[in-house]
Amino acid sequence: MLVLAISILTSGCAVESTTLSQVVVEQRDHEFIITASGDIIATESIEVRVPDTVRTQYSIAWMVPEFSKVEEGEIVVRFDDLDIRNLVNDSQLDIIEQQSSIDSFLRGSANEKSQIVHNSMRVDGETDIAESYEDVDLSFFSKHEQIDQLGDLEYLRMQGSFYDWQDETHQRRSDAELGNLEAQKKTREDELNKNKLVLENMTITSPADGTYVYASNWWGEQVRTGSNVWPGMQVGMIPIRGKVEARLYVLEIDALGLEVDQLVRLRLHSDLSQEFTGRITKLSNIASTKDRVSPTKYFTVNVTFDSVDPDLMRVGSSIDAKIVTGELDDALLVPQQAVHHDVESSYVFVVTDGVAERRDVEVGHRSPTLIQIVGGLSAGESISLVKPATPSA
């Protein structure tokens, strides 16, 4: 048993593997391909935005069908104006009521002013009469009559001062209250003017001849009928003819080896018989979801066409693509599952006469399914597709 254990330990991790799946390593030419899909987007376009004349929220009631041919000045978006029209009617009624309150206040103020003036004139007359008795010989009146006369005169003078004060303060009080009522009316008039201005901007027209394309929000969701939009927000665009590129989505798990300037072969769904080529010009830094519903993540790839067919390459057209991440001649390629890795090296299990033996290798180009071996293996050798089980002690 001791001899057997020593022989196993000194055999270079060799394991009998008559039942292991194997593959023979061969030299061959190969292209590393990543498949992707996407659509055509505009690189230059004329933006269509919500008017920013009034700060309010709009609700889209109708939009011209996407990719429709439109002419300059043609209506492409209509907003729902029902709520705005109701607000206009309410504002007009409020203004009428406010004016009625002002008129009523002015009438009341005029009556109050007239009453103050009347009372002041009455007291002035009575005071004049009372003062005339001061020049009469008091000896003709008893003491009680003299006291009553002096008291009446003092009371009349106090009344006169009171009505004079009322007359002085009435105008200030009236002006303050009138100013408050007129300010309320002015607020209603401003609201009415604002809503009337909104009604004047309940449609958006095309800024140029071309094809109308819906805009998308931050999450990639298209602006559609029923969407709420705000002043200055983009709702569509008119792409410039021939100014297009491809936008592709590559699954996160398939993105191994993607680099800028790699060759891309593309076919449009509208004409699968033609193949176009292009180069990657931009890669997203991280993978992200297309929308808030699906958890699947993609890398976004922008591709510039080597040649553009303006009649065929329309914004929004769907595309299938093959991205060439590497081209090899006479390369040793093995399935990715056959190559194992540890901290220091990569290795495979070479099968010879039914025995699997670990061997360190040097790897080159990789794809999600294949790995290039640039050192450690020779053509014609067999390797295990799975890692053999470690023999028991």
Side-chain angles (χ1 to χ4, degrees), residues 23-173:
V23 63
V24 176
V25 180
E26 296 180 349
Q27 285 185 312
R28 57 192 173 101
D29 299 337
H30 184 73
E31 276 189 343
F32 287 89
I33 299 294
I34 296 176
T35 59
S37 60
D39 54 7
I40 291 179
I41 61 174
T43 56
E44 293 183 32
S45 61
I46 301 173
E47 296 180 344
V48 179
R49 294 184 176 274
V50 179
D52 58 0
T53 50
V54 182
R55 306 301 298 179
T56 188
Q57 178 177 293
Y58 296 85
S59 178
I60 297 177
W62 173 86
M63 296 180 73
V64 67
E66 191 172 24
F67 309 121
S68 298
K69 291 289 186 180
V70 295
E71 297 179 354
E72 183 178 357
E74 180 181 345
I75 294 176
V76 293
V77 178
R78 291 184 186 275
F79 298 120
D80 184 359
D81 63 355
L82 178 60
D83 291 341
I84 301 298
R85 292 189 180 279
N86 289 336
L87 289 174
V88 167
N89 293 334
D90 292 343
S91 296
Q92 289 174 334
L93 289 175
D94 288 342
I95 291 172
I96 293 173
E97 292 177 358
Q98 204 66 37
Q99 185 60 51
S100 177
S101 297
I102 291 174
D103 295 340
S104 177
F105 171 77
L106 290 174
R107 288 192 297 270
S109 177
N111 291 334
E112 184 180 354
K113 174 71 173 179
S114 176
Q115 186 66 34
I116 292 171
V117 171
H118 173 75
N119 289 332
S120 179
M121 293 175 63
R122 176 183 59 79
V123 170
D124 287 344
E126 292 179 358
T127 301
D128 291 340
I129 294 173
E131 287 177 343
S132 67
Y133 282 97
E134 290 183 332
D135 299 331
V136 179
D137 188 355
L138 296 179
S139 61
F140 290 100
F141 299 94
S142 66
K143 291 292 184 180
H144 289 294
E145 289 176 331
Q146 293 177 21
I147 293 172
D148 289 342
Q149 183 63 29
L150 293 174
D152 289 343
L153 181 60
E154 184 63 24
Y155 174 72
L156 289 172
R157 286 172 177 169
M158 290 180 63
Q159 270 193 321
S161 297
F162 171 73
Y163 288 127
D164 289 342
W165 172 82
Q166 274 196 323
D167 188 36
E168 292 175 0
T169 60
H170 172 268
Q171 192 62 45
R172 292 197 298 270
R173 290 184 288 108

Side-chain angles (χ1 to χ4, degrees), residues 117-376:
V117 171
H118 173 75
N119 289 332
S120 179
M121 293 175 63
R122 176 183 59 79
V123 170
D124 287 344
E126 292 179 358
T127 301
D128 291 340
I129 294 173
E131 287 177 343
S132 67
Y133 282 97
E134 290 183 332
D135 299 331
V136 179
D137 188 355
L138 296 179
S139 61
F140 290 100
F141 299 94
S142 66
K143 291 292 184 180
H144 289 294
E145 289 176 331
Q146 293 177 21
I147 293 172
D148 289 342
Q149 183 63 29
L150 293 174
D152 289 343
L153 181 60
E154 184 63 24
Y155 174 72
L156 289 172
R157 286 172 177 169
M158 290 180 63
Q159 270 193 321
S161 297
F162 171 73
Y163 288 127
D164 289 342
W165 172 82
Q166 274 196 323
D167 188 36
E168 292 175 0
T169 60
H170 172 268
Q171 192 62 45
R172 292 197 298 270
R173 290 184 288 108
S174 178
D175 290 345
E177 183 63 23
L178 182 61
N180 180 47
L181 293 173
E182 289 179 341
Q184 294 179 22
K185 179 185 175 184
K186 180 65 165 55
T187 300
R188 303 295 187 275
E189 289 174 340
D190 290 343
E191 292 176 355
L192 176 62
N193 293 333
K194 171 189 172 182
N195 291 327
K196 283 184 175 180
L197 187 58
V198 173
L199 282 179
E200 294 175 1
N201 292 276
M202 296 307 288
T203 60
I204 301 178
T205 58
S206 175
D209 296 346
T211 302
Y212 186 79
V213 180
Y214 294 168
S216 299
N217 61 17
W218 177 263
W219 287 98
E221 298 171 342
Q222 283 189 321
V223 176
R224 295 185 178 276
T225 301
S227 298
N228 292 323
V229 295
W230 293 265
M233 182 174 173
Q234 184 178 354
V235 294
M237 58 183 174
I238 308 295
I240 304 299
R241 178 179 169 83
K243 302 295 184 179
V244 294
E245 67 179 9
R247 178 181 57 193
L248 306 177
Y249 297 98
V250 178
L251 283 168
E252 184 179 21
I253 60 174
D254 293 339
L256 184 63
L258 275 179
E259 293 180 1
V260 171
D261 203 40
Q262 287 176 336
L263 175 66
V264 184
R265 301 189 182 100
L266 311 104
R267 291 184 185 273
L268 279 68
H269 288 187
S270 56
D271 187 358
L272 294 174
S273 64
Q274 296 190 56
E275 182 179 83
F276 298 90
T277 59
R279 294 281 173 175
I280 295 178
T281 54
K282 184 179 178 181
L283 289 172
S284 59
N285 294 325
I286 59 173
S288 59
T289 58
K290 289 184 180 180
D291 51 52
R292 289 177 286 184
V293 178
S294 173
T296 307
K297 292 186 176 182
Y298 301 83
F299 281 93
T300 304
V301 180
N302 291 72
V303 178
T304 298
F305 291 100
D306 291 333
S307 61
V308 174
D309 184 342
D311 295 324
L312 185 62
M313 296 179 178
R314 298 181 179 180
V315 173
S317 299
S318 299
I319 292 177
D320 288 331
K322 294 181 179 180
I323 303 172
V324 181
T325 61
E327 295 180 278
L328 302 176
D329 298 326
D330 293 331
L332 295 179
L333 299 173
V334 299
Q336 188 185 54
Q337 69 191 75
V339 182
H340 312 283
H341 311 275
D342 57 24
V343 177
E344 298 180 352
S345 61
S346 299
Y347 58 93
V348 297
F349 286 91
V350 180
V351 180
T352 306
D353 296 331
V355 177
E357 180 180 3
R358 170 176 167 160
R359 185 186 300 175
D360 290 346
V361 293
E362 183 180 351
V363 300
H365 201 93
R366 302 185 185 191
S367 78
T369 56
L370 294 174
I371 295 181
Q372 179 190 14
I373 304 298
V374 296

